[in-house]
Amino acid sequence: MTLTNWAGNTSFRASHLHRPTSLDELRRAVTGASRVRALGSGHSFNDVADTTGELVSLDRMPYLVEVDSGAARVRVGASTTYATLAREVHARGLALANLASLPHISVAGSVATGTHGSGVANASLSAAVSALELMTADGSLVTLRRGEAGFPGSVVSLGALGVVTALTLDLVPAFELRQYVRESVPDDAPFGELMADGYSVSLFTDWRDTRAWIKRDTELPAEWFGTVAADGPRHPVPGMPPGSCTGQLGVPGPWHERLPHFRPDAPPSSAGDELQSEWLIPREHAADALRELRGAGDLIRPVLQIAEVRTVAADDLWLSPSYGRDSVAVHFTWIKDTAAVLPVIKLVEDTLAPFDPRPHWGKLFTRWPSCPDRFRELVRRYDPHGRFGNDFTRLLLGE
Ligand SMILES: Cc1cc2nc3c(=O)[nH]c(=O)nc-3n(C[C@H](O)[C@H](O)[C@H](O)COP(=O)(O)OP(=O)(O)OC[C@H]3O[C@@H](n4cnc5c(N)ncnc54)[C@H](O)[C@@H]3O)c2cc1C
């Protein structure tokens, strides 16, 4: 079996890919393998989803999107993409509070790694989960709900507790946004004010020239932090055609057609000709950290396609990179050359080290954060013999 992740930089070592069509088939796949991992849409850039055992994809499970309009929540099958989910909830006048840069990713895989968008008041996509249904190592199904002990460890869980079969997510009333791109953001623009002047604001930078992508519900004033309005649609990577991007130039549109940078019907970002890394730091260190990275810009640029700076509100999920702290997320889209990029990843990690960085679990990094003991206990409880373990979780758990 040759199966790779989306970017093609990781070849999964699994001997078999199961695609069960029922919970019974899933149970047989889980209990019949000594090592097994769930695979989402495969958009992570490292080996977090890999296993030397067997992989399980839930993409052939019965379709499940159950909207409870009264309670403003949706119960959704694990492998559903945000693109599909967004269309369904929007049709019922509801919305997810936030989305990542692309809607192509599965809900279970995204929340398992703490995937996020931007917005000073917007927490990670994982924070929208109010319940999840989990098949554990012995094939039993457990439901974990917000407010129960263990729940905060079970959402961002990197597949280490079992196979999530369905999740319940919070919804909000549907809303419209306008998306603007502003160029030539001055280095000395007040970071906190600028990032707060929209529902979701991203800065795209090569650590020399910076552009802001602003998603907000009101028109952007002509004068905005000394920036210049883009004279047409833009792609985050300078020079790339903007056809894969969501509507810009301030034209109002539904939340799910503005919050992601990329449209669901086109390949996102550099279409896989890329690697990615990201670290989250406490928001109060943003100005200092960005200054240090600009100082290292000459060493970063040779392997950089573009960097993106976003804000993520704190959550209470133990392994979330934004656990317990309002954060700034500093993302790097690298050229697709692991050998050339790795030393620069280490350089960025050294540069960010004074600011207590936490890596995005689905992207490339070399420095491991410590694992909370209570997560280790949760793994022992649901997977006592390490059926769902892989090299990635063993490094995390310090085994
Ligand atoms: C072009 C591009 C843009 C991106 N933009 C963003 C962004 O804006 N913000 C951001 O935060 N991240 C972003 N990412 C990273 C991405 O969101 C994460 O890698 C996310 O985990 C991808 O989801 P997936 O379904 O592909 O998960 P996979 O990579 O398939 O799996 C990730 C983890 O989830 C586990 N998992 C998957 N399904 C299940 C299940 N059913 N039960 C239990 N565990 C499961 C896997 O075992 C693995 O540990 C981007 C990635 C790409 C390629």
Side-chain angles (χ1 to χ4, degrees), residues 140-157:
S140 53
L141 262 182
V142 294
T143 301
L144 293 113
R145 294 183 183 81
R146 191 185 279 150
E148 293 174 359
F151 175 81
S154 68
V155 183
V156 183
S157 67

Side-chain angles (χ1 to χ4, degrees), residues 65-70 72-75 85 88-90 92 94 171:
V65 179
E66 269 173 20
V67 179
D68 182 341
S69 300
R73 63 182 174 224
V74 60
R75 180 167 168 256
L85 176 61
E88 290 262 14
V89 301
H90 185 71
R92 291 162 177 82
L94 292 162
L171 299 174

Side-chain angles (χ1 to χ4, degrees), residues 227-266:
T227 56
V228 179
D231 59 5
R234 294 285 189 269
H235 189 283
V237 180
M240 283 196 67
S244 59
C245 297
T246 49
Q248 302 170 21
L249 302 171
V251 179
W255 57 280
H256 60 105
E257 294 179 8
R258 294 294 179 273
L259 283 172
H261 306 323
F262 300 106
R263 301 157 51 101
D265 54 353

Side-chain angles (χ1 to χ4, degrees), residues 6-7 12 37-45 48-50 56 58 78-79 99-102 104-117 134 157-160 162-165 261-262 268-270 274 276 278 308 310 331 360-363 390:
W6 174 80
F12 295 118
R37 295 285 288 173
L39 178 64
S41 55
H43 282 75
S44 296
F45 288 87
V48 64
D50 192 22
V56 179
L58 274 57
S79 69
L99 290 169
S101 69
L102 77 175
H104 310 63
I105 45 182
S106 84
V107 174
S110 301
V111 306
T113 60
T115 292
H116 61 87
L134 180 74
S157 67
L158 310 170
V163 180
V164 173
T165 58
H261 306 323
F262 300 106
S269 196
S270 294
E274 65 196 273
Q276 295 188 8
E278 189 169 29
E308 182 180 9
R310 290 178 279 186
H331 160 94
H360 189 307
W361 296 117
K363 303 185 182 180
N390 66 357

Side-chain angles (χ1 to χ4, degrees), residues 16-22 25 29 55-61:
H16 189 72
L17 173 69
H18 296 272
R19 297 175 77 191
T21 58
S22 68
E25 282 181 29
L55 278 172
V56 179
S57 166
L58 274 57
D59 62 353
R60 287 193 184 154
M61 291 290 279

Side-chain angles (χ1 to χ4, degrees), residues 193-396:
E193 276 176 52
L194 186 148
M195 297 303 281
D197 202 23
Y199 185 82
S200 164
V201 179
S202 291
L203 298 180
F204 284 100
T205 184
D206 65 359
W207 306 109
R208 196 162 47 197
D209 298 320
T210 302
R211 295 170 304 289
W213 285 41
I214 308 118
K215 301 161 198 265
R216 50 189 274 155
D217 57 4
T218 53
E219 274 184 45
L220 196 68
E223 162 50 34
W224 196 76
F225 296 102
T227 56
V228 179
D231 59 5
R234 294 285 189 269
H235 189 283
V237 180
M240 283 196 67
S244 59
C245 297
T246 49
Q248 302 170 21
L249 302 171
V251 179
W255 57 280
H256 60 105
E257 294 179 8
R258 294 294 179 273
L259 283 172
H261 306 323
F262 300 106
R263 301 157 51 101
D265 54 353
S269 196
S270 294
D273 193 14
E274 65 196 273
L275 303 171
Q276 295 188 8
S277 301
E278 189 169 29
W279 293 269
L280 281 76
I281 58 170
R283 208 172 288 170
E284 61 268 23
H285 296 320
D288 292 339
L290 298 183
R291 189 180 327 106
E292 294 297 321
L293 289 167
R294 276 196 293 273
D298 285 346
L299 297 170
I300 296 173
R301 271 186 290 279
V303 294
L304 182 72
Q305 299 197 47
I306 197 67
E308 182 180 9
V309 180
R310 290 178 279 186
T311 50
V312 190
D315 61 43
D316 66 350
L317 306 171
W318 304 340
L319 285 192
S320 166
S322 43
Y323 171 76
R325 60 192 208 189
D326 289 335
S327 301
V328 166
V330 189
H331 160 94
F332 298 79
T333 300
W334 308 112
I335 61 168
K336 197 170 172 181
D337 180 343
T338 307
V341 166
L342 211 49
V344 184
I345 288 178
K346 290 182 178 156
L347 168 87
V348 172
E349 288 177 327
D350 288 345
T351 307
L352 291 178
F355 309 111
D356 192 13
R358 295 175 184 159
H360 189 307
W361 296 117
K363 303 185 182 180
L364 297 174
F365 61 93
T366 72
R367 288 196 191 184
W368 287 79
S370 60
C371 177
D373 284 340
R374 52 191 176 172
F375 185 72
R376 280 197 190 88
E377 282 160 28
L378 212 55
V379 173
R380 274 198 293 274
R381 177 164 161 203
Y382 289 118
D383 185 23
H385 305 297
R387 177 168 273 162
F388 299 111
N390 66 357
D391 291 350
F392 191 97
T393 61
R394 280 189 280 278
L395 275 168
L396 169 71

